[in-house]
Every structure is written in structure tokens, then in C-alpha cells.
């Protein structure tokens, strides 16, 4: 079996309303799908993390840099291909966009392997530790609003996400420590004392600001405090984890096993959040999961993007053992973005229908059981949304 072509599809549409996090606002949603074709007619799908112009640049890396390295290779030799590409790019992109691009290709190779074996990805990895996963609904993005309007909207959104059936909710912060604490307090009031909520700062604080907000989060019994400080600030992460009771989470901007080794050995995370569409695909995810578990650090995958990314993550969450295990073991969660996302809801021939499942089951989503990722995109949908680059 041979790889005959590798194509990138960058999809984009204008969001009904601008959404923001602590670093920027964005008006368009982008998804970057990778298609790997073979001489036996089997096609695999993958996805690369990276918004807007990053996705367009990554398409260049996938098609101009990685494609010539993998044409003619056996797609089932995914570990060989991973290391061939990584070694050839070592001088140019051990982290960042080169790794995001390799991720999409690697995921597509795993999709092919599953389709050849006639097995879902989780079976290929070693089986399902769980056949369904609890989802948390994230929303409450920042907008060009004043604090009072943010508070009113966050209250409504938090209660709505709880009422949709999600197991927990997650909000953005980033207006400033004092304002952020008010926002968090409003969300806790809106959802009541018994519903779990998490807070995502997207690395906007200094360490002392993060301590200030983190102490308020302890009082409000937030479940985790995500990316409080810059990902490069390993000392800040370690100090926060040692000094705060709230769980410190992060890692979505980290790449490959060597980056993760630094993070894990630093002991700055209670919960690790690897992004499979950026860290180097499923191949590298599995190595990072093993590393995380070697440090007894629980993993809750970072999930963003289209239905291809969501299906990949459902497969990985199914295949994740509980560490340390037990009758009532700690369980991972599926991250679900409740804002407008046509590329998740409309891309597949058979949609995942996560909202419907969550509503019907009190928060659970079934793991797809079809071969590979268990998710086939609709080509007409892709054509309709594809950006001309
Ligand atoms: Ca995040």
C-alpha cells in the first residue's frame, strides 16, 4: 500500500458574532483538514490546529514540505513516517506550525490504519476503557462589552450550559484580575453550589495576579484554573500549583514529547491538556499520555476544531486508562465548545450530534464505533466552505 497524495482543505466562515479570549477577538471560524490518499482507494482524514492565516500557512507546510517526504511510503508505517518527517524538520520546526502540520498527516494515517483493519481507532490502540465520555460545555467567551454586560451574559450562558445537560462548564477570563474575579463570582452564583466550573485565562496573568485570582477561585470552589500564566513560565506554574488548592491545568500550546517532559518534570500541572492536532498527532499523543501517566498526572484532552478533531479525541478518551484506577476512578472529560461551529455540527455525513446526546443522557457522548476515526466528512460541505489559497 502506498501514499499517492496529501491534500489540505482550509475551511472558513464568518461567525454570526465575534468571539474573544484574553489574547484577541476573532470574526471567522477556520478548520484545516488533511486528506491522505492511497493506491488502494482508502482515504484517511486528519486535522491541524491553527486558526485563520496560520491554517493557510500550515497548508503550505503540509502540501509543499511534508507531502514530498511521504509520497510513495506505506501509510501503515506511521511511526516510521512520523520520525522521517520529524527528523527532516528538526532543524526547522521541532515545535509550532511544523508540528501542527505533521499532526494532521499523522491523524490521517491512523484513520487509514483503522479502515484497513476494519477497527475503530480506540480498538487499534488497545480497546475502550469506556464506551462513552462525559462532556463539559465551554462558552462564555469575551466580547467587546463592559463588565456589567459580561456579567449578565456569563450568568445566562452558564445557566444555559448547565441546563443543556453538560457535566460541567468552562468560562474565559482576561478583562483584568479584579473584573475577572467578579465574573467568576457571577458564574458561581448563576450555576449554584453543586455544578462544576472551570476558568480559562489563556496565559494572561503575571504570577502574582494569578495567585490573586486563584485564591478567589479556591473560595468559589472552581475545579481547575487553566493556563494562568505564560506556557514558557514553568517556574510560575510550579509555584502556583504548590501554593493554590485549585487544580492548575494547561499544556495546550506545548508540542511533542520533549516539551511535555519539561512540563511534567516541572510538577506545575494537576491536569494535563495535550492538543492532538498540534502535538504531533495520535502517534505523539500516545507517547505523551504515557509520560503524563508515568508522572501520575491526569489528562483531559484539549479539543478544538471540526468534527474530525472531536471524533479523534473521543477515540483517544475511550482508549485512555484510568490512573490510578479503582471502583470509582477519576474519569476524563470531553471538551465541547458551545459557540457557533458549523465545522463540527455540519461536516460529517453522519453527524456526531453531541448536543442531542448530552441532553438525552445527562452529559454523556458515545465513542464512534466505525473504522478509523469513525467520522467521514461530506465532500460537498468541504467544497462549499473551502478557502481558495
Ligand atoms: Ca484553553
Amino acid at each position: 500500500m502506498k501514499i499517492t497524495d496529501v491534500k489540505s482543505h482550509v475551511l472558513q466562515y464568518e461567525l454570526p458574532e465575534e468571539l474573544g479570549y484574553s489574547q484577541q477577538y476573532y470574526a471567522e471560524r477556520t478548520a484545516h483538514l488533511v486528506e491522505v490518499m492511497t493506491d488502494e482507494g482508502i482515504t484517511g482524514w486528519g486535522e491541524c490546529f491553527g486558526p485563520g492565516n496560520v491554517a493557510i500557512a500550515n497548508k503550505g507546510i503540509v502540501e509543499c514540505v511534508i507531502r514530498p517526504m511521504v509520497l510513495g511510503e506505506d501509510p501503515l508505517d506511521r511511526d516510521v513516517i512520523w520520525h522521517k518527517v520529524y527528523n527532516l524538520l528538526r532543524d526547522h520546526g521541532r515545535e509550532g506550525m511544523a508540528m501542527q502540520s505533521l499532526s494532521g498527516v499523522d491523524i490521517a494515517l491512523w484513520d487509514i490504519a483503522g479502515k484497513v483493519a476494519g477497527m475503530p481507532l480506540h480498538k487499534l490502540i488497545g480497546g475502550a476503557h469506556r464506551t462513552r465520555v462525559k462532556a463539559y460545555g465551554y462558552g462564555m467567551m469575551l466580547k467587546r462589552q463592559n463588565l456589567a454586560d459580561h456579567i449578565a451574559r456569563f450568568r445566562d450562558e452558564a445557566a444555559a450550559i448547565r441546563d443543556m445537560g453538560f457535566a460541567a462548564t468552562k468560562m474565559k477570563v482576561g478583562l483584568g484580575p479584579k473584573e475577572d474575579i467578579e465574573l467568576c463570582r457571577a458564574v458561581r452564583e448563576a450555576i449554584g453550589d453543586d455544578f462544576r466550573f472551570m476558568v480559562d485565562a489563556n496565559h494572561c496573568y503575571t504570577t502574582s495576579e494569578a495567585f490573586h485570582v486563584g485564591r478567589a477561585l479556591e473560595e468559589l470552589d472552581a475545579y481547575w484554573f487553566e493556563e494562568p500564566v505564560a506556557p514558557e513560565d514553568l517556574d510560575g506554574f510550579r509555584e502556583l500549583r504548590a501554593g493554590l488548592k485549585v487544580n492548575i491545568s494547561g499544556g495546550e500550546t506545548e508540542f511533542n514529547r520533549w516539551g511535555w517532559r519539561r512540563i511534567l518534570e516541572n510538577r506545575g500541572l494537576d491536569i494535563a491538556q495535550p492538543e492532538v492536532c498540534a502535538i504531533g498527532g495520535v502517534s505523539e499523543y500516545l507517547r505523551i499520555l504515557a509520560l503524563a501517566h508515568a508522572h501520575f498526572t491526569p489528562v483531559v484532552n484539549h479539543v478544538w476544531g471540526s468534527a474530525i478533531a472531536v471524533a479523534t479525541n473521543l477515540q483517544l478518551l475511550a482508549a485512555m486508562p484510568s490512573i490510578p484506577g479503582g471502583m470509582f476512578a477519576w474519569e476524563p472529560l470531553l471538551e465541547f465548545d458551545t459557540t457557533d461551529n458549523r465545522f463540527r455540527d455540519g461536516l460529517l455525513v453522519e453527524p456526531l450530534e453531541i448536543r442531542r446526546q448530552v441532553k438525552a443522557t445527562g452529559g454523556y457522548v458515545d465513542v464512534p464505533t466505525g473504522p478509523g476515526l469513525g467520522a467521514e466528512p461530506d465532500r460537498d460541505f468541504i467544497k462549499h466552505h473551502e478557502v481558495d489559497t
Side-chain angles (χ1 to χ4, degrees), residues 170 172 200 202 226-227 252 302 335:
K170 189 168 85 184
K172 293 293 190 195
D200 189 357
N202 294 99
E226 181 168 328
E227 287 201 288
E252 67 181 76
H302 178 260
E335 176 168 12

Side-chain angles (χ1 to χ4, degrees), residues 49 86 93-101 103 251-263 275 277-280 284 288:
F49 184 74
Y86 185 83
R94 293 190 298 274
E95 300 189 339
M97 290 161 70
M99 289 301 284
Q100 293 173 344
S101 302
S103 300
E252 67 181 76
T253 63
E254 196 53 70
F255 300 91
N256 73 43
R257 75 197 81 155
W258 299 283
W260 272 96
R261 184 177 69 174
R262 280 194 299 272
I263 289 191
E275 166 54 68
C277 300
I279 53 170
E284 198 65 358
I288 287 162

Side-chain angles (χ1 to χ4, degrees), residues 1-21:
M1 196 173 189
K2 282 188 169 32
I3 296 173
T4 54
D5 207 356
V6 179
K7 269 191 195 161
S8 271
H9 304 272
V10 176
L11 317 183
Q12 207 163 57
Y13 74 93
E14 202 164 313
L15 285 163
E17 50 182 350
E18 205 179 40
L19 296 173
Y21 61 108

Side-chain angles (χ1 to χ4, degrees), residues 49 226 252 273-276 300-304 313 335:
F49 184 74
E226 181 168 328
E252 67 181 76
Q273 297 171 298
E275 166 54 68
V276 66
V300 176
N301 299 356
H302 178 260
V303 184
W304 182 256
N313 276 289
E335 176 168 12

